[in-house]
């Protein structure tokens, strides 16, 4: 099963991804799963995606720049803050995407 998804289907999946995060966030038992995978704090699911820095943003575990084939693969999607994804930029997850950057005195 490696059939490519059509655009409309991919779009629906993205909406569902946001809705899934919203559902997880609403339940204290699963809230952790809906947190930003970059900074591990809560995302503002009340706001539409990508409207504020605390709002939801669909991030890719493997950046689209290096793994374009995974762009529409839900397994590669992560919940993140719009601001966190932005500051992450095109950086590599293995390098600096999982924590704070090294302090300058390190
Ligand atoms: Zn974040």
């Amino acid at each position: 099963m490696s059939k490519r998804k059509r655009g409309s289907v991919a779009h629906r999946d993205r909406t569902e991804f946001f809705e899934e995060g919203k559902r997880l966030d609403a339940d204290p038992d699963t809230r952790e799963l809906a947190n930003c995978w970059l900074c591990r704090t809560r995302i503002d699911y009340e706001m539409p995606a990508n409207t504020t820095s605390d709002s939801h943003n669909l991030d890719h575990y493997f950046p689209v720049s290096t793994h374009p084939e995974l762009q529409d693969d839900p397994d590669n999607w992560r919940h993140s803050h719009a601001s966190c994804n932005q500051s992450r930029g095109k950086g590599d997850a293995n390098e600096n995407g999982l924590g704070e950057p090294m302090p300058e005195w390190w």
Side-chain angles (χ1 to χ4, degrees):
M1 283 284 283
S2 63
K3 219 168 97 183
R4 294 296 300 173
K5 289 174 179 171
R6 284 173 305 167
S8 58
V9 175
H11 179 76
R12 197 191 65 200
D13 284 352
R14 283 165 184 255
T15 307
E16 282 173 2
F17 185 68
F18 173 79
E19 292 297 328
E20 177 201 82
K22 198 170 178 174
R23 276 198 303 275
L24 292 171
D25 183 67
D27 185 341
D29 289 340
T30 56
R31 181 164 293 161
E32 217 172 293
L33 300 170
N35 286 349
C36 172
W37 79 287
L38 294 169
C39 72
R40 302 290 174 191
T41 61
R42 281 185 77 185
I43 294 169
D44 187 357
Y45 285 96
E46 297 303 313
M47 298 299 292
N50 293 311
T51 53
T52 69
S53 56
D54 285 342
S55 67
H56 183 270
N57 184 275
L58 191 160
D59 193 20
H60 295 89
Y61 182 80
F62 292 107
V64 177
S65 54
T66 55
H67 296 74
E69 74 279 10
L70 296 177
Q71 181 171 11
D72 291 328
D73 186 347
D75 288 341
N76 190 41
W77 294 351
R78 296 293 183 276
H79 301 290
S80 76
H81 290 114
S83 61
C84 287
N85 191 13
Q86 224 162 55
S87 56
R88 181 188 172 208
K90 288 183 166 43
D92 192 323
N94 298 324
E95 212 164 73
N96 55 18
L98 292 174
E100 273 91 290
M102 290 288 185
E104 281 181 30
W105 47 260
W106 195 84

